[in-house]
Amino acid sequence: MDFLPLYFDLKDKPCLVVGGGEIATRKATMLLKAGARIHVVAPELSSGIHELAKDSRVTLEQIEYSREALDGMVLVIAATNVYDVNLAVSEDAKAINLPVNVVDNPPLCTFILPAIIDRSPIVIAVSSGGKSPVLARLIRSRLESTIPAAYGRLGALVGGFRDAVKERFSSINQRRGFWESVLQGDVAELVFSGKEQQAKQRLEEILQSQSGDETQPGEVYLVGGGPGDPDLLTFRALRLMQQADVVLYDRLVSEAVVDMTRRDAERINVGKARSEHTLPQEEINDLLVRLAKEGRRVLRLKGGDPFIFGRGGEEIDKLAENGIPFQVVPGITAATGCSCYAGIPLTHRDYAQSVRFITGHLKNGSCQLPWNELVHKEQTVVFYMGLVGLKTICEKLIEHGRGANTPVALVQQGTTPSQRVFTGTLETINAIVESEQVKAPTLIIVGEVVLLREKLGWADDAGLPEA
Ligand code: SAH
């Protein structure tokens, strides 16, 4: 993060605008909206700025800028078209640690102005850190169109109840739960439909009907976080990720996905590398039960899909036994995510009529897989957790009759910016693993469909669309 967004209380505070043209007028207008008192200095003053000065909080002074103009100000914006003046304002302000913004010149600034969506008291600031103001503005217009103006009225209404709610509920978790249900329930609906008086009454009723010390029962959300690219999350996954108080995630879940969980949620990494289980499965199951019993909303975030080689079944089994409510959200499993981003359709009318997902995690190195069923020519076989056993897998497939020149693809860290894809055959792929130092997590795709990658690959090695 290059800049920390802060919200500045400017009510009745003196701010200086250097410059009297159109841009200066725009900046002064914005400061005025925040309740500032504004002094404008410039040798020439446009009609626009004269118009603005009809407001008693704006004063104009038709002179050249000089250092004394900064005295007593809490911030300054330089909006002249003379570089030397802008530079002087910047240097003078920096010398006395006065926050300064020079329009369109980030190196001269100590603060930058974001694009703003104003639904006061809700104010959303969007910034590109000076890299692309146009992009920030485009994002702003998207947000403008999706956030109803009534959110401002809702914010104002609930603001009046903050203290009462604090008094009623001593714990932060309870208060949060209360507000979440109010802000997503009929109170919000009433405000959105213009019935603010009714909304206020309803909020009072709800508050009266709640006894402060009840512990609400917790819940567990078993959510598939997909193979890595956060764009592949479902809407439901995202909603629950934003709602949960505590998050338990695996090593397999990408950082970008973990970052989409609520900022202030407690995050617990329960590890699970292939052979070094940070927390044994039993303990994870028990932890889920304990946290939910404390009344917490617990997100169990898994890589891919929770029901595909994810032990999701075992975890909710324990929850069901203990009568804890839960919901399960599917995720894009590695096979579909990786094959898609590698340009390899898992089935194809000409090459493969079926696909099998197999665990390549060979227990004690022994092979109890139904090899005879895996060697049909027109079947794609996808191995999860197969990298360590790849040599054995290839040998066994050849031994049971699959051609040694059957194409094989390895997709390492599929769908992430670190995606790497390697192709070879049952005979050659092991050498590639060694020479390229392929690492987990890697998915193995065996079958003729791998050949299609050459024509259908649409993402580059970094899992991004090819230029
Ligand atoms: N529940 C997960 C699978 C867990 S098993 C899912 O549905 O995807 C772990 C194995 O999944 C890894 O060993 C690897 O073979 C595969 N895998 C998961 N994410 C992957 C990724 N982003 N790229 C490549 N393989 C991945």
Side-chain angles (χ1 to χ4, degrees):
M1 194 158 52
D2 290 333
F3 292 86
L4 178 70
L6 300 166
Y7 290 75
F8 206 155
D9 179 4
L10 289 179
K11 242 161 258 90
D12 283 328
K13 305 274 178 4
C15 299
L16 181 71
V17 174
V18 181
E22 198 191 320
I23 297 173
T25 309
R26 245 189 285 140
K27 301 295 167 191
T29 307
M30 193 172 60
L31 293 173
L32 207 53
K33 272 197 192 156
R37 282 189 285 121
I38 298 147
H39 188 60
V40 180
V41 297
E44 280 168 45
L45 298 163
S46 67
S47 57
I49 205 107
H50 275 296
E51 186 64 25
L52 201 67
K54 286 183 181 159
D55 190 308
S56 62
R57 291 169 297 173
V58 182
T59 50
L60 308 180
E61 201 175 358
Q62 192 161 9
I63 46 162
E64 292 284 349
Y65 161 80
S66 66
R67 151 86 201 63
E68 295 75 55
L70 300 178
D71 290 344
M73 296 293 161
V74 299
L75 68 76
V76 52
I77 298 180
T80 81
N81 51 9
V82 186
Y83 177 78
D84 287 347
V85 175
N86 289 343
L87 181 66
V89 175
S90 169
E91 285 178 349
D92 293 346
K94 284 179 184 171
I96 53 170
N97 288 328
L98 182 68
V100 56
N101 175 269
V102 176
V103 175
D104 268 347
N105 198 333
L108 296 189
C109 297
T110 61
F111 73 92
I112 53 174
L113 291 160
I116 291 171
I117 300 112
D118 186 0
R119 301 281 187 271
S120 289
I122 304 295
V123 177
I124 302 168
V126 181
S127 163
S128 65
K131 302 278 190 304
S132 174
V134 175
L135 181 60
R137 256 177 264 141
L138 288 175
I139 294 171
R140 177 187 59 185
S141 49
R142 276 205 187 183
L143 292 173
E144 287 276 10
S145 59
T146 52
I147 299 174
Y151 267 89
R153 300 202 300 275
L154 182 60
L157 172 75
V158 300
F161 282 81
R162 256 194 104 177
D163 290 342
V165 171
K166 237 182 202 168
E167 217 161 275
R168 169 73 40 122
F169 304 104
S170 52
S171 107
I172 294 185
N173 280 341
Q174 285 177 329
R175 289 204 287 276
R176 187 183 289 138
F178 173 81
W179 281 126
E180 278 174 2
S181 72
V182 164
L183 293 170
Q184 296 176 77
D186 53 352
V187 172
E189 286 307 323
L190 286 166
V191 173
F192 293 159
S193 54
K195 299 173 186 152
E196 274 163 73
Q197 198 47 40
Q198 274 168 268
K200 191 166 174 219
Q201 272 170 12
R202 180 80 189 111
L203 184 45
E204 269 158 8
E205 272 167 33
I206 298 175
L207 189 56
Q208 292 312 322
S209 69
Q210 307 248 339
S211 120
D213 35 65
E214 271 165 29
T215 307
Q216 303 288 331
E219 194 179 356
V220 175
Y221 315 132
L222 179 61
V223 170
D229 183 348
D231 280 5
L232 297 179
L233 287 167
T234 62
F235 287 119
R236 171 121 71 108
L238 191 59
R239 187 163 52 76
L240 297 176
M241 286 164 76
Q242 292 287 321
Q243 199 163 294
D245 309 308
V246 50
V247 182
L248 275 70
Y249 64 97
D250 291 352
R251 214 176 73 116
L252 202 57
V253 183
S254 76
E255 213 179 304
V257 170
V258 176
D259 270 349
M260 307 287 278
T261 58
R262 210 175 74 207
R263 285 277 143 216
D264 56 344
E266 185 187 345
R267 295 178 183 177
I268 304 175
N269 181 350
V270 291
K272 293 264 238 60
R274 190 174 169 280
S275 49
E276 28 151 315
H277 288 204
T278 309
L279 258 196
Q281 188 64 49
E282 258 312 296
E283 281 182 37
I284 296 176
N285 302 351
D286 291 344
L287 187 58
L288 289 173
V289 170
R290 183 166 61 72
L291 290 167
K293 281 191 172 163
E294 285 170 7
R296 308 241 258 163
R297 288 162 306 175
V298 187
L299 174 73
R300 177 66 179 109
L301 188 57
K302 318 275 293 187
D305 182 280
F307 281 181
I308 293 188
F309 306 125
R311 299 200 178 184
E314 293 169 44
E315 293 178 8
I316 55 175
D317 189 38
K318 189 84 182 207
L319 298 172
E321 254 172 42
N322 282 271
I324 294 186
F326 59 86
Q327 29 181 322
V328 186
V329 183
I332 298 220
T333 187
T336 50
C338 296
S339 64
C340 184
Y341 278 53
I344 301 171
L346 294 178
T347 66
H348 187 287
R349 279 199 296 173
D350 299 335
Y351 300 100
Q353 275 69 51
S354 66
V355 53
R356 287 184 71 148
F357 297 171
I358 302 279
T359 167
H361 181 41
L362 311 174
K363 277 192 191 126
N364 309 323
S366 74
C367 318
Q368 293 140 336
L369 294 177
W371 298 109
N372 285 329
E373 297 171 20
L374 306 184
V375 295
H376 302 300
K377 196 162 186 293
E378 298 197 326
Q379 171 181 248
T380 307
V381 187
V382 178
F383 289 93
Y384 287 69
M385 299 171 279
L387 199 56
V388 174
L390 182 63
K391 194 159 173 289
T392 316
I393 289 170
C394 293
E395 280 167 11
K396 287 284 170 190
L397 287 174
I398 294 172
E399 194 182 308
H400 286 79
R402 199 128 190 190
N405 57 356
T406 305
V408 180
L410 305 179
V411 187
Q412 176 182 322
Q413 286 173 284
T415 82
T416 74
S418 314
Q419 169 171 301
R420 299 204 298 163
V421 183
F422 306 97
T423 51
T425 65
L426 285 178
E427 209 164 39
T428 63
I429 199 74
N430 276 292
I432 295 176
V433 170
E434 269 170 42
S435 64
E436 298 288 344
Q437 304 205 333
V438 182
K439 297 198 180 62
T442 288
L443 191 85
I444 301 160
I445 305 174
V446 179
E448 310 298 322
V449 287
V450 168
L451 297 175
L452 293 164
R453 168 174 160 79
E454 198 146 321
K455 202 162 137 209
L456 304 183
W458 59 273
D460 64 12
D461 266 2
L464 301 167
E466 284 191 343

